[in-house]
Amino acid sequence: PFDAIEKTGDDAAVDLSAYKDVWVFAEQRNGKLMNVALELIGEGRRLAKEISEDTKVCALLVGDGIDHLEQECYEYGAERVVMIQDPLLKNYTTDGYTKVIVDAVEEYKPELVIYGATHIGRDLAPRVAARLNTGLTADCTRLDIKVSSYIEYAKNNTTLDTSTLDPNDPSTGIKQTRPAFGGNLMATIICPKTRPQMSTVRPGVMQKRDRVAGATGERVDYKPQISESDIRIQIKDIVKSAKELVSLTDADIICSGGRGLGDPSGFELIKEFADKVGGVVGSSRAAVDAGWIDHSHQVGQTGTTVKPKIYFACGISGAIQHLAGMQTSDIIVAINKDPDAPIFEVADFGIVGDLYKVIPEIIAEWDNA
Ligand code: FAD
């Protein structure tokens, strides 16, 4: 599974033992935690316990007037919340958030910091990494910390200089996996010598933990040193674009259409289908490239990664780049007139037929179901 390897960070010696705990940037917007933040708290907890029982997962909350989010972080698995609040942090700014996170990281020295690969996470994480002179792996789909498997891997790969690793250091074995070269291979990237190790992780690929009502943890209030002169841009107004209304990552049901729709009007049927079953409309890239639907609906490697309870793929062949964004859905239903279409290989239920006949039948039957 490991086809490529990159090494990040420079050769400056870092005392690895000084770093401890897993931090998750718990991204919030308008006082509401993003789904990916909850997914990453669950993943961070798993990683922390793989490092050692006393390694903690900490949710990093940045903003203003966000005390109410602390409890939710504990309930989804955080053991500690590092709270950074200031009126200047009310809205996200690259400068402001970078400054306070870098300061907090330098003070508390987490071993690993993970962010959602959202617009904000993708903007923030590289800035923080550059300031801290550490590595960053963007857009990960998998994180592993098993020392043993890492060492085994290192031994079998001539491209990795194993002399840089200390097998006795339990913090050495962190592997970050991400698609590379158009999704044709999975690259494994390590930061053997720099800390903290940092990753952005795609929304929808990690599992949220079951919510435990009333769970508690330890709160640390970090008083940020920030002034207006630290922030070079001013937010005058926030205008929500119509595109943002498509929330593929939060949807339980997605009805996606592809080139098999034949023309843009096919999305009217997909929309009717989605409305009937309480879902949202997704699409393949071919449909987006044809100009039939906006890119915000695109599922796949260069679109959104989704994990709904039910994913309907209608007139979609099942190219690897599309599968990369939806194959972990709980149930996949494929409707395609070609019985050999690759989508049927990942489908739990396959319907061979013309979508213009099949979908109206499902719509008609839905109310009776
Ligand atoms: P097609 O492959 O043309 O399939 C259409 C299907 O519809 C066929 O299987 C056909 O049998 C079926 N069909 C036709 N008529 C009917 C009908 N009346 N009823 C039922 N079935 C019918 N693709 C993505 O989707 N998402 C991505 O993020 C993405 N990223 C990419 C990144 C890179 C770097 C590259 C190189 C490609 C990427 N692609 C992506 C494109 C991908 O390779 C495929 O070209 C694309 O997914 C094909 O879309 P499709 O399945 O809709 O079209």
Side-chain angles (χ1 to χ4, degrees), residues 265-335:
S265 65
F267 275 103
E268 287 164 23
L269 178 64
I270 298 293
K271 174 84 175 67
E272 187 189 342
F273 184 23
D275 288 346
K276 173 59 77 178
V277 301
V280 301
V281 174
S283 77
S284 71
R285 177 164 160 176
V288 172
D289 287 350
W292 298 351
I293 191 161
D294 187 83
H295 176 260
S296 56
H297 294 265
Q298 184 181 313
V299 171
Q301 184 194 312
T302 43
T304 304
T305 303
V306 298
K307 194 178 180 306
K309 294 197 171 109
I310 310 181
Y311 187 86
F312 289 97
C314 313
I316 293 178
S317 59
I320 186 164
Q321 296 90 352
H322 188 81
L323 301 186
M326 46 61 76
Q327 62 191 351
T328 59
S329 304
D330 291 353
I331 297 174
I332 297 171
V333 183
I335 305 168

Side-chain angles (χ1 to χ4, degrees), residues 123-135:
D123 180 62
L124 177 65
R127 296 291 183 113
V128 174
R131 293 271 173 88
L132 293 168
N133 196 26
T134 190

Side-chain angles (χ1 to χ4, degrees), residues 44-55:
R45 173 105 177 212
R46 184 186 72 77
L47 296 170
K49 299 309 157 199
E50 277 196 31
I51 296 172
S52 71
E53 261 311 305
D54 65 339
T55 300

